[in-house]
Amino acid sequence: GCWCCRRLLRAQPEVLLEQRFYAHRTRPSLLIMEYEASWEGGPDSVVVSFDLPKIDPASFKDFAAKVSTQQMHVGSLRHTILTWTGTTLGAEHGADCVEVSVVALAPAVTQI
């Protein structure tokens, strides 16, 4: 399955952003988020900025988490990578605790 959401980013020209969130085909514990923009007329490209939520690891009562950042160079561009990792403090009956990792560009600004 796939979760999809379409949003109007700009009215003139009309720019639509579609977000898709799904499990990887061969690694189902890896979740993929894709964005696709579409518009007719107007500029050849549009700059889009994605604000990342502030995550306070201490705010979770049932989850131990930490947030870290690191710099990564891709060609001539420098990116800041945000990594959020954690483990549930309790497990469901008959199961182990769950480990979670999220990696994102921060701040996430791209030209589409």
Side-chain angles (χ1 to χ4, degrees):
C2 180
W3 178 83
C4 295
C5 179
R6 185 174 278 193
R7 296 184 182 124
L8 179 65
L9 287 182
R10 182 185 291 176
Q12 292 297 326
E14 183 177 274
V15 177
L16 294 174
L17 181 70
E18 184 173 306
Q19 177 184 13
R20 291 182 292 277
F21 192 60
Y22 56 91
H24 190 274
R25 182 178 29 171
T26 60
R27 299 177 70 191
S29 62
L30 177 63
L31 298 176
I32 308 295
M33 187 172 297
E34 290 181 337
Y35 293 94
E36 180 178 347
S38 60
W39 64 89
E40 291 183 22
D44 292 334
S45 64
V46 176
V47 174
V48 178
S49 176
F50 299 97
D51 295 328
L52 297 174
K54 301 282 188 225
I55 300 171
D56 178 11
S59 67
F60 299 105
K61 293 177 177 37
D62 60 348
F63 200 74
K66 68 178 183 174
V67 179
S68 62
T69 59
Q70 68 183 79
Q71 298 295 312
M72 182 177 85
H73 294 274
V74 178
S76 62
L77 301 175
R78 187 181 79 175
H79 297 284
T80 301
I81 306 298
L82 172 74
T83 305
W84 185 87
T85 58
T87 304
T88 55
L89 299 177
E92 294 183 19
H93 180 70
D96 294 328
C97 292
V98 177
E99 293 184 24
V100 177
S101 295
V102 176
V103 178
L105 291 176
V109 177
T110 190
Q111 183 171 332
I112 53 176

CSV table of all heavy atoms in Angstrom, one decimal, residues 57-92:
chain,number,residue,atom,x,y,z
A,57,PRO,N,13.8,14.5,22.2
A,57,PRO,CA,13.9,13.1,22.7
A,57,PRO,C,13.3,12.9,24.1
A,57,PRO,O,12.8,11.8,24.4
A,57,PRO,CB,15.4,12.7,22.6
A,57,PRO,CG,16.0,13.7,21.7
A,57,PRO,CD,15.2,15.0,21.8
A,58,ALA,N,13.4,13.9,24.9
A,58,ALA,CA,12.9,13.8,26.3
A,58,ALA,C,11.4,13.8,26.4
A,58,ALA,O,10.8,13.5,27.4
A,58,ALA,CB,13.5,14.9,27.2
A,59,SER,N,10.7,14.2,25.3
A,59,SER,CA,9.2,14.3,25.3
A,59,SER,C,8.5,12.9,25.2
A,59,SER,O,7.3,12.8,25.4
A,59,SER,CB,8.7,15.2,24.2
A,59,SER,OG,9.0,14.7,22.9
A,60,PHE,N,9.2,11.9,24.9
A,60,PHE,CA,8.6,10.5,24.7
A,60,PHE,C,8.8,9.8,26.0
A,60,PHE,O,9.9,9.5,26.5
A,60,PHE,CB,9.3,9.8,23.6
A,60,PHE,CG,9.2,10.4,22.2
A,60,PHE,CD1,10.2,11.1,21.7
A,60,PHE,CD2,8.0,10.4,21.6
A,60,PHE,CE1,10.1,11.7,20.4
A,60,PHE,CE2,7.8,11.0,20.3
A,60,PHE,CZ,8.9,11.7,19.8
A,61,LYS,N,7.6,9.3,26.6
A,61,LYS,CA,7.7,8.5,27.8
A,61,LYS,C,8.0,7.1,27.6
A,61,LYS,O,8.4,6.4,28.5
A,61,LYS,CB,6.3,8.7,28.5
A,61,LYS,CG,6.1,10.1,29.1
A,61,LYS,CD,4.7,10.2,29.7
A,61,LYS,CE,4.4,11.5,30.3
A,61,LYS,NZ,4.9,12.7,29.7
A,62,ASP,N,7.7,6.6,26.4
A,62,ASP,CA,7.9,5.1,26.1
A,62,ASP,C,8.9,4.9,25.0
A,62,ASP,O,9.0,3.8,24.4
A,62,ASP,CB,6.5,4.5,25.6
A,62,ASP,CG,6.0,5.2,24.4
A,62,ASP,OD1,6.5,6.3,24.0
A,62,ASP,OD2,5.0,4.6,23.8
A,63,PHE,N,9.8,5.9,24.8
A,63,PHE,CA,10.7,5.8,23.7
A,63,PHE,C,12.0,6.5,24.0
A,63,PHE,O,12.0,7.7,24.5
A,63,PHE,CB,10.1,6.5,22.4
A,63,PHE,CG,10.7,6.1,21.1
A,63,PHE,CD1,10.4,4.8,20.6
A,63,PHE,CD2,11.5,6.9,20.4
A,63,PHE,CE1,11.0,4.4,19.4
A,63,PHE,CE2,12.0,6.6,19.2
A,63,PHE,CZ,11.7,5.3,18.7
A,64,ALA,N,13.1,5.8,23.9
A,64,ALA,CA,14.4,6.5,24.1
A,64,ALA,C,15.0,6.9,22.8
A,64,ALA,O,15.2,6.0,21.9
A,64,ALA,CB,15.4,5.5,24.8
A,65,ALA,N,15.2,8.2,22.6
A,65,ALA,CA,15.7,8.6,21.2
A,65,ALA,C,16.8,9.7,21.4
A,65,ALA,O,17.0,10.3,22.4
A,65,ALA,CB,14.5,9.2,20.5
A,66,LYS,N,17.5,9.8,20.3
A,66,LYS,CA,18.5,10.9,20.2
A,66,LYS,C,18.6,11.4,18.8
A,66,LYS,O,18.2,10.7,17.8
A,66,LYS,CB,19.9,10.4,20.6
A,66,LYS,CG,20.6,9.4,19.7
A,66,LYS,CD,22.0,9.1,20.2
A,66,LYS,CE,22.6,8.1,19.2
A,66,LYS,NZ,24.0,7.9,19.6
A,67,VAL,N,18.9,12.7,18.7
A,67,VAL,CA,19.0,13.4,17.4
A,67,VAL,C,20.4,13.9,17.2
A,67,VAL,O,21.0,14.4,18.1
A,67,VAL,CB,18.0,14.6,17.4
A,67,VAL,CG1,18.1,15.3,16.0
A,67,VAL,CG2,16.6,14.1,17.6
A,68,SER,N,21.0,13.7,16.0
A,68,SER,CA,22.3,14.1,15.7
A,68,SER,C,22.3,14.7,14.3
A,68,SER,O,21.4,14.4,13.4
A,68,SER,CB,23.3,13.0,15.8
A,68,SER,OG,23.0,12.0,14.9
A,69,THR,N,23.3,15.6,14.0
A,69,THR,CA,23.4,16.1,12.6
A,69,THR,C,24.9,15.9,12.2
A,69,THR,O,25.8,15.8,13.0
A,69,THR,CB,23.1,17.6,12.6
A,69,THR,OG1,24.0,18.3,13.5
A,69,THR,CG2,21.7,17.9,12.9
A,70,GLN,N,25.1,15.9,10.9
A,70,GLN,CA,26.4,15.8,10.4
A,70,GLN,C,26.4,16.4,9.0
A,70,GLN,O,25.4,16.6,8.4
A,70,GLN,CB,26.9,14.3,10.3
A,70,GLN,CG,26.2,13.5,9.3
A,70,GLN,CD,26.7,12.0,9.3
A,70,GLN,OE1,26.3,11.3,10.2
A,70,GLN,NE2,27.5,11.7,8.4
A,71,GLN,N,27.6,16.9,8.6
A,71,GLN,CA,27.8,17.5,7.3
A,71,GLN,C,28.2,16.5,6.2
A,71,GLN,O,29.0,15.6,6.5
A,71,GLN,CB,28.8,18.6,7.4
A,71,GLN,CG,28.5,19.7,8.3
A,71,GLN,CD,27.3,20.5,7.9
A,71,GLN,OE1,27.2,20.9,6.7
A,71,GLN,NE2,26.4,20.7,8.8
A,72,MET,N,27.6,16.6,5.0
A,72,MET,CA,28.0,15.7,4.0
A,72,MET,C,28.1,16.5,2.7
A,72,MET,O,27.3,17.4,2.4
A,72,MET,CB,26.8,14.7,3.8
A,72,MET,CG,27.1,13.6,2.7
A,72,MET,SD,25.8,12.4,2.6
A,72,MET,CE,24.7,13.2,1.5
A,73,HIS,N,29.2,16.2,2.0
A,73,HIS,CA,29.5,16.9,0.7
A,73,HIS,C,29.1,16.0,-0.5
A,73,HIS,O,29.5,14.8,-0.5
A,73,HIS,CB,30.9,17.3,0.6
A,73,HIS,CG,31.3,18.3,1.6
A,73,HIS,ND1,31.2,19.7,1.4
A,73,HIS,CD2,31.9,18.2,2.8
A,73,HIS,CE1,31.6,20.3,2.4
A,73,HIS,NE2,32.0,19.5,3.3
A,74,VAL,N,28.3,16.5,-1.4
A,74,VAL,CA,27.9,15.8,-2.6
A,74,VAL,C,28.3,16.7,-3.8
A,74,VAL,O,27.7,17.7,-4.0
A,74,VAL,CB,26.4,15.5,-2.6
A,74,VAL,CG1,26.0,14.8,-3.9
A,74,VAL,CG2,26.0,14.6,-1.4
A,75,GLY,N,29.4,16.3,-4.4
A,75,GLY,CA,29.9,17.2,-5.5
A,75,GLY,C,30.3,18.5,-4.9
A,75,GLY,O,31.1,18.5,-3.9
A,76,SER,N,29.9,19.6,-5.4
A,76,SER,CA,30.2,20.9,-4.8
A,76,SER,C,29.2,21.4,-3.8
A,76,SER,O,29.4,22.5,-3.2
A,76,SER,CB,30.3,22.0,-6.0
A,76,SER,OG,29.0,22.1,-6.6
A,77,LEU,N,28.2,20.6,-3.5
A,77,LEU,CA,27.2,21.0,-2.5
A,77,LEU,C,27.4,20.4,-1.1
A,77,LEU,O,27.9,19.3,-1.0
A,77,LEU,CB,25.8,20.6,-3.0
A,77,LEU,CG,25.3,21.2,-4.3
A,77,LEU,CD1,24.0,20.6,-4.7
A,77,LEU,CD2,25.2,22.7,-4.3
A,78,ARG,N,27.1,21.2,-0.1
A,78,ARG,CA,27.2,20.7,1.3
A,78,ARG,C,25.8,20.6,1.9
A,78,ARG,O,25.0,21.5,1.8
A,78,ARG,CB,28.1,21.7,2.1
A,78,ARG,CG,28.3,21.2,3.5
A,78,ARG,CD,29.1,22.1,4.3
A,78,ARG,NE,28.2,23.1,4.8
A,78,ARG,CZ,28.5,24.1,5.6
A,78,ARG,NH1,29.7,24.3,6.0
A,78,ARG,NH2,27.6,25.0,6.0
A,79,HIS,N,25.5,19.5,2.4
A,79,HIS,CA,24.2,19.2,3.0
A,79,HIS,C,24.4,18.9,4.5
A,79,HIS,O,25.4,18.3,4.9
A,79,HIS,CB,23.6,18.0,2.4
A,79,HIS,CG,23.2,18.2,0.9
A,79,HIS,ND1,22.2,19.0,0.5
A,79,HIS,CD2,23.9,17.7,-0.2
A,79,HIS,CE1,22.2,19.0,-0.8
A,79,HIS,NE2,23.2,18.2,-1.3
A,80,THR,N,23.4,19.3,5.3
A,80,THR,CA,23.3,18.9,6.7
A,80,THR,C,22.4,17.8,6.8
A,80,THR,O,21.2,17.9,6.3
A,80,THR,CB,22.9,20.1,7.6
A,80,THR,OG1,23.8,21.1,7.4
A,80,THR,CG2,22.8,19.6,9.0
A,81,ILE,N,22.8,16.6,7.3
A,81,ILE,CA,22.0,15.4,7.5
A,81,ILE,C,21.5,15.3,8.9
A,81,ILE,O,22.3,15.4,9.8
A,81,ILE,CB,22.8,14.2,7.1
A,81,ILE,CG1,23.4,14.3,5.7
A,81,ILE,CG2,21.9,12.9,7.2
A,81,ILE,CD1,22.4,14.5,4.6
A,82,LEU,N,20.2,15.2,9.1
A,82,LEU,CA,19.6,15.0,10.4
A,82,LEU,C,19.3,13.5,10.6
A,82,LEU,O,18.7,12.9,9.7
A,82,LEU,CB,18.3,15.8,10.5
A,82,LEU,CG,17.5,15.6,11.8
A,82,LEU,CD1,18.1,16.3,13.0
A,82,LEU,CD2,16.1,16.1,11.6
A,83,THR,N,19.8,13.0,11.7
A,83,THR,CA,19.6,11.5,12.0
A,83,THR,C,18.9,11.4,13.3
A,83,THR,O,19.3,12.0,14.3
A,83,THR,CB,20.9,10.7,12.0
A,83,THR,OG1,21.6,10.9,10.8
A,83,THR,CG2,20.6,9.3,12.2
A,84,TRP,N,17.7,10.8,13.3
A,84,TRP,CA,16.9,10.6,14.5
A,84,TRP,C,16.8,9.1,14.8
A,84,TRP,O,16.4,8.3,13.9
A,84,TRP,CB,15.5,11.2,14.3
A,84,TRP,CG,14.6,11.2,15.4
A,84,TRP,CD1,14.5,12.2,16.4
A,84,TRP,CD2,13.6,10.3,15.7
A,84,TRP,NE1,13.5,11.9,17.2
A,84,TRP,CE2,12.9,10.7,16.8
A,84,TRP,CE3,13.2,9.1,15.1
A,84,TRP,CZ2,11.8,10.0,17.4
A,84,TRP,CZ3,12.1,8.4,15.6
A,84,TRP,CH2,11.5,8.8,16.8
A,85,THR,N,17.3,8.6,15.9
A,85,THR,CA,17.3,7.2,16.2
A,85,THR,C,16.7,6.9,17.6
A,85,THR,O,16.9,7.8,18.5
A,85,THR,CB,18.7,6.5,16.1
A,85,THR,OG1,19.6,7.2,17.1
A,85,THR,CG2,19.3,6.6,14.7
A,86,GLY,N,16.1,5.8,17.7
A,86,GLY,CA,15.6,5.5,19.0
A,86,GLY,C,15.1,4.0,19.1
A,86,GLY,O,15.0,3.3,18.2
A,87,THR,N,14.7,3.6,20.4
A,87,THR,CA,14.2,2.3,20.7
A,87,THR,C,13.0,2.4,21.6
A,87,THR,O,13.1,3.2,22.6
A,87,THR,CB,15.3,1.4,21.3
A,87,THR,OG1,16.5,1.4,20.5
A,87,THR,CG2,14.9,0.0,21.5
A,88,THR,N,12.0,1.6,21.4
A,88,THR,CA,10.9,1.6,22.3
A,88,THR,C,11.4,1.0,23.7
A,88,THR,O,12.3,0.2,23.7
A,88,THR,CB,9.8,0.7,21.8
A,88,THR,OG1,10.3,-0.6,21.5
A,88,THR,CG2,9.1,1.2,20.5
A,89,LEU,N,10.8,1.5,24.8
A,89,LEU,CA,11.2,1.1,26.1
A,89,LEU,C,10.5,-0.2,26.5
A,89,LEU,O,11.0,-0.9,27.4
A,89,LEU,CB,11.0,2.2,27.1
A,89,LEU,CG,11.8,3.5,26.8
A,89,LEU,CD1,11.4,4.6,27.9
A,89,LEU,CD2,13.3,3.3,26.9
A,90,GLY,N,9.4,-0.4,25.9
A,90,GLY,CA,8.7,-1.6,26.2
A,90,GLY,C,8.3,-2.3,24.9
A,90,GLY,O,8.4,-1.8,23.8
A,91,ALA,N,8.0,-3.6,25.0
A,91,ALA,CA,7.7,-4.4,23.8
A,91,ALA,C,6.3,-5.0,24.0
A,91,ALA,O,5.8,-5.2,25.1
A,91,ALA,CB,8.7,-5.5,23.6
A,92,GLU,N,5.6,-5.2,22.8
A,92,GLU,CA,4.4,-6.0,22.9
A,92,GLU,C,4.6,-7.4,23.3
A,92,GLU,O,5.7,-7.9,23.2
A,92,GLU,CB,3.7,-5.9,21.5
A,92,GLU,CG,3.3,-4.5,21.1
A,92,GLU,CD,2.6,-4.5,19.7
A,92,GLU,OE1,2.1,-5.6,19.3
A,92,GLU,OE2,2.5,-3.5,19.1
